[in-house]
């Protein structure tokens, strides 16, 4: 419909939760050391996979947890306050490619500061 509107600003923020997220390469430190460090510093969650570790914090605990990781000399791949989808939607390979093209296009727009998605590839 011409002149229609997709949604107002912030219409889907209820689908995402603000979290501190710290990503660490598996080669940076032993899993047990990083997990203990993160949880003792006040992290909400710690996960590990074959590539590395993810530490999630409440936004208010992000700085103390990040500082504890840095003080221990553990290098991070990224550390930021971000939005994590509370519920994901599984998409097939074709859908995933389409969503990635859309995200890339949105990120190239100077008026867009951040893009978050709840799509999960199969």
């Amino acid at each position: 419909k011409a002149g229609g509107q997709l949604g107002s600003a912030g219409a889907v923020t209820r689908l995402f939760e603000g979290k501190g997220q710290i990503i660490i390469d598996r080669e940076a430190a032993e899993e047990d050391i990083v997990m203990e460090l993160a949880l003792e510093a006040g992290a909400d969650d710690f996960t590990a996979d074959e590539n590395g570790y993810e530490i999630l914090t409440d936004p208010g605990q992000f700085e103390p947890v990040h500082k504890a990781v840095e003080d221990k000399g553990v290098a991070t791949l990224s550390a930021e306050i971000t939005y994590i989808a509370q519920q994901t939607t599984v998409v097939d390979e074709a859908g995933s490619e389409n969503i990635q093209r859309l995200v890339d296009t949105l990120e190239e727009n100077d008026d867009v500061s951040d893009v978050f998605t709840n799509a999960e590839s199969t």
Side-chain angles (χ1 to χ4, degrees), residues 43-93:
D44 288 345
D45 195 17
F46 172 87
T47 55
D49 64 24
E50 65 275 356
N51 297 319
Y53 317 113
E54 177 185 52
I55 300 169
L56 294 178
T57 73
D58 180 85
Q61 284 296 109
F62 173 73
E63 281 303 322
V65 173
H66 185 220
K67 183 173 178 0
V69 170
E70 284 185 329
D71 287 351
K72 205 61 157 169
V74 178
T76 61
L77 294 175
S78 70
E80 63 184 346
I81 303 271
T82 189
Y83 287 94
I84 306 290
Q86 293 195 31
Q87 186 174 1
T88 59
T89 300
V90 177
V91 294
D92 61 16
E93 188 176 335

Side-chain angles (χ1 to χ4, degrees), residues 95-115:
S96 181
E97 289 172 6
N98 288 335
I99 290 169
Q100 189 58 53
R101 277 198 304 274
L102 173 61
V103 168
D104 291 344
T105 300
L106 290 170
E107 287 177 338
E108 290 172 6
N109 186 316
D110 291 338
D111 293 330
V112 175
S113 58
D114 293 304
V115 178

